Amino acid sequence: MKILVTGGAGFIGSHVVRRFVQSYPKYHIYNLDALTYAGNLENLSDIKEYSNYTFIKGDITNEEFINGIFHKYNFDGVIHLAAESHVDRSIADPMAFVKTNVIGTVNLLNAARDCWENDFENKRFYHISTDEVYGALGEVGLFTELTAYDPNSPYSASKASSDHFVRAYGETYNMPYVITNCSNNYGPNHFPEKLIPLFINNIINNRPLPVYGDGNYTRDWLYVVDHARAIDLVFHKGKNAETYNIGGFNEWKNIDLVKLLCKQMDSKLNRPVGESEKLITYVKDRPGHDLRYAIDASKINKELGWEPSVTFKEGLVKTIDWYLSNKEWLKNVTSGKYKEYYNIQYNN
Ligand code: NAD
Ligand code: TYD
């Protein structure tokens, strides 16, 4: 089986590529990635020599290139993760999100449809999406697969749009597809623009921890390796034309999470208790900030037997340990353009 993974050099994609390359020696995994600021081949240095792995540098917005690789390799399956993924960047530059997340996805769908020539036997287009398409919850309730789409940020609007295109290709052209909508991931290789890795990096460097608004926003966190396990399961066992929600059963208010992270970092860095908490700084809120995300993951649990294997406390310790032992990785990704981004986003 030849599988195209898009965005495999990014955070979640690299864990998916590693899992598939190592677990399925009979598959060939093609990792297609444009290597934007978020893509980093260092994330995959441990598997780059495997004989069932090929990296292809390319941009999913380039229609001709995408058609070309489908005809060259004739993939049996696609696991589509390539995306612009950060809400704050989508507020600053929505068009980049339309291009990659919407047009890029439609390019892949067209190429798969044309290459497979309506013979969809044993073919699968797996689209990786987010719970953010459902919009914001109040203090109670959970997102189910039947919750109406109600995206609030340019990022979530672009992901919602791409989900709709995938579904439409299923209805219109009989494209065999599956979609998963997952909650916030955390873990090794997470680019330090997102809450947890940004704050770990700032604590290491004694920099302020910019908490948006009052910090009373809630997210449901899942360890990235558990997301990769779910993706493996859905790719192989998920029902055609279905959506599955994936979540951590693990809701945290930002401020509580940040305080827990500070405590764990103090202990790892041998700093006095309470030292890192002093770095917490409340800053201007994100526009259109969704109050709460929380996932009802009972469908994937009942139908496919998936549940998270790592508790939040374990996952956070593994994550912190990874960043502390990969300072070179952190240094490399936070040099150059990152500084420019940071100064504009946090105004310092
Ligand atoms: P990421 O930003 O870490 O990685 C994205 C990858 O896509 C990078 O390697 C980048 O180089 C590549 N890419 C971007 N534009 C491209 C283009 N035009 N052509 C080819 N490659 C391109 O993102 P992530 O956090 O790993 O997220 C992966 C997927 O999972 C995304 O689709 C995202 O919407 C979804 N998702 C993420 C989370 C999360 O918490 N991070 C949660 C749910 C769903
Ligand atoms: P983030 O990691 O950007 O993920 P998402 O917006 O996709 O959920 O943010 C997680 C939460 O943390 C969200 O409520 C915004 C908040 N946040 C901050 O308070 N400060 C920050 O510097 C960042 C990046 C996020």
Side-chain angles (χ1 to χ4, degrees):
M1 174 143 39
K2 293 191 238 172
I3 301 174
L4 174 68
V5 179
T6 70
F11 167 47
I12 301 170
S14 60
H15 289 274
V16 171
V17 166
R18 174 176 302 101
R19 182 174 180 94
F20 274 74
V21 165
Q22 291 183 334
S23 309
Y24 303 104
K26 292 205 173 122
Y27 295 179
H28 199 102
I29 308 303
Y30 297 85
N31 170 16
L32 168 68
D33 199 297
L35 300 181
T36 68
Y37 78 92
N40 184 353
L41 286 177
E42 266 186 73
N43 294 345
L44 290 167
S45 51
D46 57 325
I47 57 123
K48 68 173 196 250
E49 304 297 345
Y50 278 58
S51 59
N52 64 337
Y53 171 69
T54 301
F55 174 69
I56 304 168
K57 184 170 188 304
D59 191 327
I60 59 168
T61 66
N62 182 338
E63 185 183 351
E64 208 181 314
F65 169 77
I66 292 300
N67 288 336
I69 62 156
F70 269 82
H71 282 100
K72 179 166 177 196
Y73 295 107
N74 199 10
F75 307 114
D76 301 292
V78 177
I79 306 178
H80 174 36
L81 297 109
E84 288 292 339
S85 68
H86 189 37
V87 173
D88 293 326
R89 288 185 193 254
S90 81
I91 295 167
D93 181 12
M95 194 53 82
F97 287 67
V98 175
K99 285 184 185 151
T100 289
N101 299 0
V102 186
I103 298 173
T105 301
V106 177
N107 275 340
L108 289 166
L109 286 165
N110 282 340
R113 180 199 58 195
D114 295 349
C115 179
W116 294 339
E117 289 178 340
N118 298 318
D119 176 10
F120 293 126
E121 186 78 17
N122 296 323
K123 302 288 195 286
R124 166 153 278 189
F125 192 103
Y126 180 1
H127 179 59
I128 307 296
S129 193
T130 165
D131 61 354
E132 303 192 25
V133 299
Y134 298 122
L137 289 165
E139 296 292 341
V140 292
L142 299 171
F143 296 134
T144 75
E145 289 79 2
L146 299 176
T147 303
Y149 276 32
D150 190 18
N152 291 318
S153 73
Y155 164 63
S156 53
S158 68
K159 290 299 289 187
S161 172
S162 62
D163 293 11
H164 289 321
F165 271 104
V166 174
R167 225 174 250 127
Y169 273 59
E171 289 294 321
T172 308
Y173 306 107
N174 293 320
M175 170 74 72
Y177 75 89
V178 64
I179 300 175
T180 50
N181 295 85
C182 188
S183 64
N184 288 60
N185 286 215
Y186 70 98
N189 309 99
H190 205 183
F191 192 80
E193 62 185 352
K194 310 278 168 61
L195 180 75
I196 292 179
L198 182 94
F199 280 32
I200 291 175
N201 186 40
N202 284 13
I203 292 171
I204 292 172
N205 295 300
N206 270 309
R207 298 184 67 167
L209 305 177
V211 172
Y212 295 160
D214 60 7
N216 284 319
Y217 294 89
T218 300
R219 298 291 182 264
D220 170 1
W221 295 92
L222 177 68
Y223 191 59
V224 63
V225 173
D226 278 330
H227 189 188
R229 278 177 54 240
I231 289 172
D232 184 345
L233 202 57
V234 171
F235 182 74
H236 290 101
K237 304 255 171 67
K239 281 197 209 126
N240 187 38
E242 290 280 334
T243 285
Y244 297 87
N245 282 352
I246 306 171
F249 304 95
N250 177 41
E251 285 184 51
W252 284 82
K253 280 206 157 91
N254 290 342
I255 192 63
D256 296 336
L257 187 161
V258 169
K259 285 182 177 165
L260 173 66
L261 185 65
C262 286
K263 268 201 198 88
Q264 293 194 347
M265 289 295 289
D266 282 343
S267 135
K268 292 280 174 191
L269 295 169
N270 293 320
R271 290 183 185 168
V273 177
E275 186 76 1
S276 299
E277 260 193 53
K278 291 186 199 148
L279 298 169
I280 292 176
T281 312
Y282 291 92
V283 300
K284 195 163 143 269
D285 211 348
R286 171 189 279 175
H289 198 165
D290 286 334
L291 178 68
R292 177 169 163 261
Y293 304 141
I295 282 271
D296 175 351
S298 54
K299 179 175 171 183
I300 188 171
N301 175 257
K302 285 197 190 104
E303 287 189 16
L304 304 180
W306 176 89
E307 61 183 2
S309 68
V310 176
T311 67
F312 191 52
K313 284 219 169 99
E314 284 163 5
L316 212 48
V317 169
K318 281 174 192 272
T319 304
I320 293 169
D321 286 346
W322 187 84
Y323 281 93
L324 291 177
S325 24
N326 287 274
K327 291 224 177 91
E328 199 57 28
W329 182 96
L330 251 185
K331 206 176 103 201
N332 290 345
V333 302
T334 53
S335 57
K337 285 240 174 257
Y338 179 82
K339 289 201 176 112
E340 237 172 76
Y341 164 78
Y342 199 94
N343 290 340
I344 293 169
Q345 177 64 26
Y346 296 98
N347 206 12
N348 61 4

